[in-house]
Amino acid sequence: MIWRLGASMTAIIPVAAAAARNSGATLATAEPVIWTFFGSPFQAGSMVAAVFGCGAARWWIGAGASLRKTYRWRLDVPVSGIALALSAGVVIEKSPDPLYALMIGAGLGVLGEGIFALAERQIERLTGGLIAPEAGPTARPSVSAGDAESTAKLLNDIFPPKS
Amino acid sequence: MNNASYAAQAVARGPKTLAPPSFDGQGWLVALNLGAMTAGCLIALMVVVTLGTDWFRYRKTDRRLSPAWVWRASIMLFATGIALRCGAEAVTLWGWDPREPEATAAFLTAKRFVDPVAVTCGLSGLFVSVLALPGMLRQLRRQPFPLDLWQTWPIVQRMMWLAGASMLAAIAVVSLR
């Protein structure tokens, strides 16, 4: 664990070297670094802020949840990736200042799974409810063979008796 | 600009620096402050949320003024103070922009409003700790020592990762803008 910490500490060195590059302390002398993504320019500082905010929020909210460790590759990584991509997209689109970029990133990271819910609601609204909302995960109770009572209960659940 | 607040006037008339002028143009100091304030706010918030959840979960076990309740309350007060103070300062540092004097001045003034509340939280935590000190010490001196310091090491590690990430982000933002 310590060596991992040390390894990440060494990552500071190039960044610190970049920081030593004195770009001037006033607005007149400073030149904000502009990066481009497939031809669309954006402020590098805002992008770093947004990505940090999003990553910290995503990682912070469920860092200890055991459920998240179970679904790391099926849910956590895709959701984090989409939240990161969304915040990066917003930064490229709107070119906000670092503070607002940070807040946008953190907000989208906090939304996390909520992004999917919002998208679903939007689709529902656009299609006029043509796509029925799913009934949620149907966890089937495990039935041991020959357990007549629970089988009957399960059948009752699947095919409710007509009243 | 005539009916703007004094703070806004000061920002508008002051030197157009990238960071508050009190940093005197030293970028590394800005990055250090930015990273420390962000990390402090995030970590303290983490503690507040964790302890708040615990508070709710154990509300039947830890009755009011029971030792666990007092211990948790004092830590929560400290953490709230740190979160408020660091959060206000972080917003000021992140949001400093002489091109928008009104917004910058609003952050500056908001910090002045938040600071007394943060200090009240911190001092209340101190008062609660001092009040609980004799009883706590009597309990804590019992042999064998009822304390396993490294039980929550993963949580502290998570906090340290967060601190490192904020420091990296602060350095990157300061050097890139």
Side-chain angles (χ1 to χ4, degrees):
Chain A
M1 198 47 68
I2 293 297
W3 66 267
R4 273 170 63 190
L5 207 66
S8 58
M9 283 299 134
T10 56
I12 288 182
I13 294 170
V15 187
R21 178 187 67 94
N22 198 358
S23 67
T26 58
L27 289 175
T29 55
E31 296 160 16
V33 179
I34 304 287
W35 287 343
T36 49
F37 178 76
F38 289 110
S40 0
F42 59 90
Q43 277 190 40
S46 297
M47 180 60 79
V48 169
V51 166
F52 164 69
C54 185
R58 271 308 294 160
W59 177 77
W60 175 64
I61 282 181
S66 60
L67 192 71
R68 220 175 119 161
K69 282 188 182 117
T70 323
Y71 295 107
R72 173 159 291 165
W73 293 105
R74 279 156 61 191
L75 189 67
D76 186 25
V77 169
V79 165
S80 302
I82 284 175
L84 278 172
L86 252 177
S87 40
V90 171
V91 166
I92 293 175
E93 184 71 21
K94 299 282 178 195
S95 62
D97 286 340
L99 172 68
Y100 303 107
L102 180 77
M103 289 191 326
I104 287 166
L108 284 172
V110 167
L111 265 178
E113 284 96 356
I115 292 172
F116 287 116
L118 287 176
E120 200 181 14
R121 203 175 305 154
Q122 189 73 3
I123 289 169
E124 216 171 282
R125 197 175 64 81
L126 288 173
T127 57
L130 285 176
I131 301 168
E134 282 190 34
T138 47
R140 296 261 174 93
S142 59
V143 188
S144 58
D147 192 347
E149 196 185 346
S150 63
T151 311
K153 193 179 171 300
L154 186 66
L155 280 172
N156 223 25
D157 284 340
I158 299 169
F159 306 109
K162 291 191 179 71
S163 56
Chain B
M1 196 42 74
N2 281 330
N3 50 2
S5 66
Y6 293 130
Q9 290 178 33
V11 174
R13 285 176 194 161
K16 301 279 178 286
T17 46
L18 276 173
S22 47
F23 286 109
D24 205 17
Q26 312 205 32
W28 64 274
L29 197 57
V30 181
L32 203 59
N33 272 274
L34 202 59
M37 290 301 170
T38 314
C41 179
L42 286 177
I43 290 171
L45 269 180
M46 207 167 161
V47 171
V48 169
V49 170
T50 311
L51 288 186
T53 332
D54 277 5
W55 187 309
F56 187 72
R57 188 184 299 155
Y58 299 114
R59 65 192 184 283
K60 294 274 160 54
T61 323
D62 302 336
R63 286 297 180 191
R64 213 158 67 85
L65 300 183
S66 71
W69 187 93
V70 171
W71 185 245
R72 191 176 290 138
S74 64
I75 299 178
M76 271 187 87
L77 281 169
F78 287 136
T80 315
I82 294 176
L84 285 175
R85 168 65 205 153
C86 289
E89 188 64 57
V91 169
T92 312
L93 290 180
W94 278 96
W96 179 269
D97 189 355
R99 282 165 298 191
E100 298 170 17
E102 299 279 350
T104 309
F107 298 144
L108 285 171
T109 311
K111 189 174 73 179
R112 301 292 180 219
F113 278 102
V114 169
D115 275 356
V117 182
V119 171
T120 311
C121 283
L123 287 183
S124 310
L126 268 185
F127 293 157
V128 171
S129 304
V130 170
L131 279 174
L133 203 56
M136 284 287 183
L137 284 181
R138 208 175 303 137
Q139 291 292 328
L140 291 175
R141 281 199 187 114
R142 285 194 176 158
Q143 299 271 3
F145 287 143
L147 191 59
D148 176 12
L149 195 60
W150 299 103
Q151 212 172 356
T152 47
W153 175 231
I155 297 180
V156 176
Q157 265 179 345
R158 220 176 290 154
M159 293 171 173
M160 283 158 65
W161 276 111
L162 205 52
S166 344
M167 208 46 96
L168 271 179
I171 294 173
V173 166
V174 168
S175 56
L176 288 176
R177 73 180 177 180

